Amino acid sequence: MTRKKVLVTGGAGFIGGNFVQYMIEKYPEYEIYNLDGLTYAGDLTKHRGIETKDNYHFIKADIVDYEIIIPLFEKHKFDYIIHFAAESHVDRSITDPGVFVRTNVVGTQVLLEAAKKIGITKFVHVSTDEVYGELDFDPTTFFTEDTPLQPNSPYSASKASSDLLVRAYHHTYGLPINITRCSNNYGPYHFPEKLIPLTISRLLNEEKIPIYGDGQNIRDWLHVFDHCVAIDLVLHEGVNGEVYNVGGHNERTNLEVVKTIIHSLGKSEELIEFVTDRLGHDKRYAIDPTKLEQLGWKPTYTFETGIAQTIQWYIDNNAWWEQIISGQYQKYFDKQYSLEILKK
Ligand code: NAD
Ligand code: DAU
């Protein structure tokens, strides 16, 4: 029997990286291809434990590069595509939107075209709850799959655009697709520009924590391991053409998140620094995951168990994030926050 070929784009990043490791472990009978362009967010050191496995393959490629992607698909004839590769940081999209359109919109279209040419079993497009825009602070309101798309940042607008292309390739060409829209992930290998790993890594170095605005914005936190299980379920059981929201009812204000980490590490709240708000900062995200639960998914982490596991992981794996924050990333950090906390 020929082995199923699974292409994971963005498998050197945070969620894609966790997903590659999950798939290698769970499906030794599959061939896993990790395709990644290795931008600033891509890092292969996380795969040292699996890179010698026979069923793991790495391909360095830019998803926008049609001349490379089409022949690659024709050569390998992938069965499954799980598409994570993207520019993912909202702050970067505010200062440099163009690259978000390039990768998230054009790159997705190139992959769809390649998938259409070879015929595939399933294309799972990993999207975000941010495409729905923002909710107000009424705790009884949630994003469902029927919530209209009203993206507010260049990042979420580029993701919403890619969702529409995926939908169109299903409607027009019958491409077997699913779109998943998840809330904020956290867990191992989260890049330290995002709130939770930024807070943990800076606290471990006794550095100030920048909180945008008044810290009352709410996010709905999802452990990356629970997210991997959800994508696996959608890949194998999702009804073609359907959208599935992924979230675990773990709403917290940013201030609550930061204070939880501060207390867990035994640090002082004086390290909190309120800084200028993010432009267009969405107030609240909250997911209604009923549809995915009906497919059979249930998260295993509460925020309390997940954040404790994550903090411990960052303590145990300081070498991983220290090599990141000491390099090119430091230049980004200095520019993003310079006037606010670096001078204090
Ligand atoms: P990430 O930034 O950690 O990783 C992105 C990966 O994509 C990197 O390895 C990078 O090298 C690769 N990449 C970027 N541009 C590329 C290109 N042109 N060609 C090939 N590879 C390229 O992102 P993440 O946080 O792991 O997010 C993965 C996906 O999940 C994204 O599509 C994102 O929109 C979505 N998502 C993320 C979250 C979250 O909380 N992190 C929540 C909802 C949805
Ligand atoms: O909701 C899903 C989205 O979650 C994903 O689609 C994005 O790829 C992912 O980056 C994440 O977006 P957010 O903007 O919500 O995540 P971030 O970690 O950047 O910020 C979380 C919250 O914390 C947000 O309200 C902004 C705030 N924040 C963030 C940073 C980096 C701060 O207060 N200070 C900071 O320094």
Side-chain angles (χ1 to χ4, degrees):
M1 206 179 73
T2 53
R3 291 151 71 89
K4 295 265 185 234
K5 291 187 170 184
V6 181
L7 178 72
V8 179
T9 72
F14 163 45
I15 310 175
N18 278 284
F19 186 73
V20 163
Q21 294 180 10
Y22 166 92
M23 292 294 280
I24 289 277
E25 170 86 8
K26 177 144 185 219
Y27 299 106
E29 72 276 22
Y30 286 0
E31 296 288 329
I32 309 293
Y33 292 79
N34 169 12
L35 184 153
D36 199 294
L38 298 182
T39 67
Y40 78 94
D43 147 68
L44 288 176
T45 64
K46 58 169 69 85
H47 292 319
R48 282 199 184 123
I50 58 166
E51 64 194 5
T52 55
K53 301 241 181 209
D54 289 344
N55 66 334
Y56 173 74
H57 314 274
F58 176 68
I59 301 166
K60 183 173 185 311
D62 182 342
I63 57 168
V64 175
D65 195 340
Y66 186 91
E67 305 301 328
I68 299 283
I69 296 295
I70 300 287
L72 198 74
F73 273 55
E74 283 169 342
K75 176 177 169 202
H76 291 291
K77 303 261 187 290
F78 302 113
D79 298 285
Y80 297 126
I81 293 140
I82 304 96
H83 175 34
F84 295 92
E87 288 293 334
S88 70
H89 192 34
V90 174
D91 289 329
R92 289 182 189 254
S93 83
I94 293 167
T95 47
D96 185 14
V99 67
F100 284 70
V101 175
R102 179 186 184 278
T103 292
N104 300 359
V105 185
V106 180
T108 300
Q109 191 269 331
V110 169
L111 293 172
L112 288 166
E113 194 58 26
K116 173 165 80 74
K117 275 189 194 297
I118 61 166
I120 49 153
T121 305
K122 179 63 70 71
F123 186 115
V124 177
H125 176 61
V126 181
S127 190
T128 169
D129 59 0
E130 297 199 17
V131 298
Y132 298 123
E134 65 177 350
L135 295 164
D136 62 23
F137 292 112
D138 171 0
T140 62
T141 55
F142 299 97
F143 294 135
T144 73
E145 290 78 3
D146 296 325
T147 303
L149 303 192
Q150 291 185 317
N152 287 323
S153 70
Y155 161 69
S156 53
S158 69
K159 291 296 288 187
S161 306
S162 64
D163 287 20
L164 294 181
L165 283 165
V166 175
R167 182 182 184 279
Y169 268 72
H170 172 68
H171 188 85
T172 306
Y173 307 112
L175 197 72
I177 63 96
N178 286 118
I179 297 172
T180 58
R181 295 187 180 133
C182 65
S183 55
N184 287 60
N185 282 221
Y186 67 105
Y189 298 116
H190 202 180
F191 198 83
E193 68 189 348
K194 310 280 170 64
L195 181 68
I196 286 182
L198 179 137
T199 299
I200 301 171
S201 56
R202 288 184 66 81
L203 282 175
L204 289 172
N205 284 336
E206 300 291 336
E207 290 167 327
K208 296 226 174 215
I209 309 304
I211 295 193
Y212 297 155
D214 60 8
Q216 293 309 310
N217 303 62
I218 291 175
R219 297 294 182 262
D220 182 359
W221 294 97
L222 171 69
H223 195 284
V224 67
F225 294 172
D226 282 333
H227 188 194
C228 290
V229 174
I231 294 172
D232 178 13
L233 180 68
V234 171
L235 178 68
H236 292 100
E237 307 288 339
V239 177
N240 280 341
E242 292 294 310
V243 175
Y244 295 94
N245 283 352
V246 195
H249 288 302
N250 284 308
E251 288 182 56
R252 297 287 185 284
T253 66
N254 295 335
L255 197 54
E256 284 169 341
V257 168
V258 169
K259 283 188 177 175
T260 299
I261 301 170
I262 286 179
H263 297 154
S264 171
L265 287 172
K267 304 289 181 185
S268 164
E269 288 189 13
E270 285 181 10
L271 286 169
I272 291 174
E273 189 78 33
F274 290 96
V275 300
T276 307
D277 209 351
R278 173 184 279 176
L279 289 180
H281 197 171
D282 284 337
K283 285 200 268 295
R284 173 173 167 255
Y285 306 142
I287 285 278
D288 175 355
T290 306
K291 185 172 172 183
L292 189 64
E293 285 171 356
Q294 285 166 351
L295 199 67
W297 178 78
K298 216 161 85 116
T300 56
Y301 286 89
T302 61
F303 187 68
E304 285 65 35
T305 58
I307 198 70
Q309 182 265 6
T310 303
I311 292 169
Q312 192 57 49
W313 188 90
Y314 276 81
I315 293 171
D316 295 342
N317 293 274
N318 60 319
W320 178 78
W321 53 265
E322 272 169 7
Q323 45 127 9
I324 291 171
I325 62 174
S326 63
Q328 187 65 20
Y329 170 74
Q330 190 59 48
K331 290 196 185 114
Y332 158 79
F333 190 90
D334 292 353
K335 198 167 159 218
Q336 173 74 9
Y337 300 95
S338 56
L339 297 175
E340 315 270 347
I341 59 174
L342 291 178
K343 300 207 163 53
K344 298 194 176 178

